[in-house]
């Protein structure tokens, strides 16, 4: 695989299923090198696989499709050239789509009421005079912002303190109908879902005193006109993605338990599935076992409620399974599993069909349907766009850390005979996982002749709560290094891998660990490539969009000893630092401080800064920037490894 082969990826997103179960609609995403943009259109395919997928819309950027329950309409979000996403609807029986909104900052997350009369959606509402709402007032001429809480910016968005997200409801059937704002206040509100009788909404929001200074997010419900607002939870949880059960008696939601447990860190704890009475008559309870549940927090819709329980996307040793948790507390059962990842899904209420977007180590994604009897069909063949690209399969490798702890990982091997130079790749988070997906980075490095070693040391998700919490007391710096080195040593037992030519690299938390390994175990490596990392706790706490809550997990007196910058003088191997100018997760100053320290110490170092990009450069940055990044890294590895 070459860097520009990322333009050949065709990736379907979360599907929606027609009420009669006969058809699926999904957005298909790809990038174009010219004009250097991302594109997405809506496609449809019969559920029985009787016909090939066909395109419904021509974009340029259509996403978030949602069937009306009566099957007559399809709602979706469309972004036209130079604009922001707006809400559109089109008749399923044929006809042109029409736009329903003109929101200044765009809309997201459309969802129909069960009676098909209304659509709820989410939109950020700017303060008067900001973000183009006052004629002739450019951003540099806006009045000053007043900041009073820790939470006031978000990576990829910018300032949020002056443009809270609110819930709206619109009648899509009446020409000229205006959206009605349901929520109010200076609080961010999550996606809203209707009750089965279409009379109420449920959503998550942090509306308590002190919101923005802690991690608490509660579940709220109100009438569809915004009246009778009441909370269903009262703290102790960081909730997201709330849905009514089909009978309307309860609300299920995903949440992070914020309860203080000695030695544990909330940032290294996984989300699980909870349930609470919809009338507010009881306290929430956990439906899933917190010891081994890892709800995929990156998914737009990580749960779905059905008659018998909640279906959720669960991380599991590098896979993402679809699992059913019964309401009665019975044992959970896997619906879709295997060496693959289900990253978006929908289900019928009676669970006669589960439709999912599923990828693997050699497939970027296909639409798969699973019937009630367990029969499974793949409805699409978009991976054919990569048929002329050699994709290296992931080979499992296991290791034993010095204390006897097992470590799980993979080798992605280049073509031809070795010995191949080796790259140890460290994932971000740290509470995330590498796994069974087509990871463009591993494939590009393997395509250039490097054997990639990657795995999930302690601190990762998908291996149980104890595994994630193992490095809580040092933010997984000192404690994780032995796991990574043990995995590397196990991989190097393969004579195809050259133990004398090894580099280490990673992004975000992986960048932090790369700098840590370079400082403490530099003799193992010839070079380091560290990206968008956190290198100094003291400034990260103040400048990161969520640094304040990360550092709460570590006593301030220990910040220096857990910061890679403290040991920068020990880094003697050539080091490449890559960072984005608009990164708000790990701000640019982190890279500048590390670069300054290495440059001053006489270490061979280069700093590459990408303009206009945020923390997600490697995943969703400009296509030209993503390719440039690959070229920079491959050039560096060629020179130093």
């Amino acid at each position: 695989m070459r860097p520009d082969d990322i333009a050949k990826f065709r990736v379907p997103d979360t599907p929606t299923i027609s009420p009669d179960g006969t058809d699926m609609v999904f957005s298909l995403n790809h990038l174009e090198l010219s004009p250097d943009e991302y594109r997405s259109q809506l496609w449809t395919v019969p559920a029985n696989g009787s016909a090939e997928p066909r395109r419904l819309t021509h974009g340029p950027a259509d996403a978030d499709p949602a069937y009306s329950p009566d099957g007559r309409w399809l709602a979706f979000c469309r972004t036209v050239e130079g604009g922001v996403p707006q809400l559109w609807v089109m008749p399923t029986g044929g006809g042109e789509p029409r736009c329903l909104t003109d929101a200044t900052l765009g809309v997201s997350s459309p969802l129909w009421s069960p009676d098909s009369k209304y659509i709820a959606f989410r939109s950020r509402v700017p303060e008067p005079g900001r973000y183009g709402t006052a004629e002739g007032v450019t951003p540099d001429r806006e009045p000053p912002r007043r900041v009073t809480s820790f939470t006031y910016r978000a990576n990829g968005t910018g300032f949020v303190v002056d443009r809270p997200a609110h819930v709206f409801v619109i009648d899509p059937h009446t020409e000229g109908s205006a959206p009605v704002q349901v929520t109010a206040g200076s609080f961010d509100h999550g996606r809203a879902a209707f009750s089965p009788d279409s009379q109420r909404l449920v959503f998550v929001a942090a509306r308590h005193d002190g919101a923005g200074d802690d991690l608490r997010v509660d579940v709220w419900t109100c009438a569809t006109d915004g009246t009778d607002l009441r909370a269903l939870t009262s703290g102790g949880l960081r909730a997201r993605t709330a849905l009514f059960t089909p009978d309307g008696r309860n609300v299920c939601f995903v949440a992070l338990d914020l309860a203080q447990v000695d030695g544990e860190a909330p940032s290294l704890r996984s989300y699980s599935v909870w349930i609470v009475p919809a009338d507010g008559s009881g306290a929430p309870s956990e439906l899933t076992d917190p010891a081994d549940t890892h709800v995929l927090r990156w998914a737009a819709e990580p749960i779905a409620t059905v008659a018998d329980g909640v279906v959720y996307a669960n991380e599991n040793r590098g896979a993402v399974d679809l699992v059913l948790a019964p309401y009665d507390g019975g044992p959970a059962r896997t619906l879709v599993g295997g060496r693959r990842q289900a990253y978006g899904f929908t289900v019928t209420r009676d669970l006669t069909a589960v439709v999912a977007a599923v990828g693997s180590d050699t497939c970027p994604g296909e639409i798969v349907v699973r019937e009630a009897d367990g029969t499974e069909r793949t409805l699409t063949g978009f991976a054919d766009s990569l048929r002329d690209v050699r994709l290296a399969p992931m080979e499992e490798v296991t290791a034993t850390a010095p204390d006897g702890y097992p470590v799980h990982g993979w080798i992605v091997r280049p073509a031809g005979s070795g010995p191949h130079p080796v790259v140890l790749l460290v994932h971000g988070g740290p509470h995330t996982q590498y796994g069974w997906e087509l990871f463009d980075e591993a494939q590009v490095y393997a395509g250039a002749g490097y054997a990639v070693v990657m795995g999930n040391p302690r601190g990762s998700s998908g291996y149980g709560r104890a595994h994630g919490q193992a490095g809580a007391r040092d933010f997984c710096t000192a404690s994780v290094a032995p796991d990574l080195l043990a995995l590397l040593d196990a991989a190097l037992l393969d004579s195809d891998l050259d133990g004398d030519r090894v580099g280490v690299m990673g992004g975000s938390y992986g960048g932090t660990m790369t700098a840590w390994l370079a400082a403490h175990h530099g003799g193992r490596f010839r070079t380091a490539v560290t990206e968008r990392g956190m290198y100094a706790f003291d400034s990260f706490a103040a400048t990161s969009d969520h640094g304040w809550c990360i550092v709460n997990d570590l006593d301030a007196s220990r910040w220096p000893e857990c910061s890679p910058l403290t040991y920068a003088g020990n880094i003697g191997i050539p080091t490449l630092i890559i960072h984005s100018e608009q990164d708000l997760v790990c701000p640019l100053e982190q890279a500048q401080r590390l670069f300054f320290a290495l440059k001053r110490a006489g270490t061979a170092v280069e700093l590459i800064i990408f303009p206009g990009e945020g923390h997600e450069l490697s995943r969703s940055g400009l296509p030209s920037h993503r390719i440039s990044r690959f070229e920079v890294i491959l050039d560096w590895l060629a020179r130093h490894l």
Side-chain angles (χ1 to χ4, degrees), residues 29 64 114 139 153 226 290-291 305 322 332 338 340 401 415 481 491 495 542 609 614:
N29 308 295
D64 295 335
R153 297 188 304 169
T305 53
L322 298 183
R340 53 186 178 171
S495 60
I609 302 174

Side-chain angles (χ1 to χ4, degrees), residues 182-508:
V182 174
T183 58
S186 58
F187 318 103
D188 264 4
H189 299 79
R191 176 178 182 173
F194 286 93
S195 59
D197 62 5
S198 302
Q199 299 302 303
R200 298 192 67 82
L201 294 167
V202 66
F203 50 85
V204 301
R207 297 177 56 94
H208 58 281
D209 291 340
D213 288 339
D214 58 25
L215 294 176
R216 171 183 169 183
V217 178
D218 288 308
V219 179
W220 296 79
T221 180
C222 68
T224 54
D225 62 0
T227 60
D228 192 27
L229 176 67
R230 58 177 183 260
L232 299 182
T233 62
S234 55
L237 300 171
R238 182 173 181 82
R240 56 168 304 203
T241 314
L243 299 172
F244 283 95
T245 54
D247 61 10
R249 296 172 58 189
N250 295 288
V251 167
C252 292
F253 60 98
V254 175
L256 183 73
D257 187 353
L258 301 177
Q260 293 297 316
V261 179
D262 183 47
E264 288 199 347
S267 61
L268 298 173
R269 197 177 291 164
S270 292
Y271 282 79
S272 53
V273 182
W274 294 69
I275 189 168
V276 65
D279 61 4
S281 61
S285 59
E286 211 161 355
L287 270 181
T288 52
D289 183 353
D292 59 7
T293 301
H294 302 267
V295 177
L296 183 64
R297 58 177 172 166
W298 311 115
E301 281 297 306
I303 62 170
T305 53
V306 296
D308 298 328
V310 182
V311 181
Y312 62 98
N314 189 60
E315 295 179 311
N316 175 26
R317 293 182 60 83
V320 177
D321 304 329
L322 298 183
V323 180
L324 174 69
Y327 297 127
D328 62 10
R333 61 185 177 94
T334 300
L335 304 177
V336 175
R339 293 182 169 184
R340 53 186 178 171
Q341 294 191 355
Y343 56 88
F345 71 97
T346 189
V347 298
T348 55
R349 284 291 174 93
D350 56 3
L351 211 57
T352 54
V354 178
V355 186
V358 177
S360 70
D361 56 335
T362 56
C363 173
E366 305 287 7
I367 298 297
V368 171
V369 60
R370 177 197 178 277
E371 306 287 359
D373 62 2
T375 303
E376 187 175 297
R377 292 189 304 276
T378 300
L379 303 181
T380 58
F382 297 120
D384 287 348
S385 63
L386 289 163
R387 60 182 175 273
D388 62 340
V389 178
R390 177 194 179 271
L391 297 173
M394 297 171 66
E395 305 169 21
E396 281 189 287
V397 59
T398 57
T400 303
D403 63 355
Y405 195 85
V407 187
H408 180 222
W410 297 267
I411 299 172
V412 180
R413 191 187 305 267
S417 59
H420 305 290
V422 179
V423 171
L424 174 63
L425 207 55
V426 188
H427 68 61
H431 202 57
T432 57
Q433 65 166 4
Y434 277 144
W436 301 103
E437 63 174 333
L438 205 172
F439 187 25
D440 60 349
E441 299 211 25
Q443 295 294 337
V444 165
Y445 304 144
Y450 302 94
V452 178
V453 178
M454 50 194 282
N456 295 319
R458 278 170 277 193
S460 304
S461 57
Y463 296 78
R465 182 165 175 167
H467 184 89
Q469 290 292 330
R473 294 188 183 277
D474 59 13
F475 196 65
C476 298
T477 45
S479 61
V480 167
D483 286 11
L484 292 168
L485 295 177
L487 187 65
L488 176 62
D489 287 337
L492 291 178
L493 294 175
D494 189 324
S495 60
D496 243 9
L497 276 61
D498 188 348
D500 293 326
R501 289 186 295 159
V502 181
V504 59
M505 62 188 299
S508 194

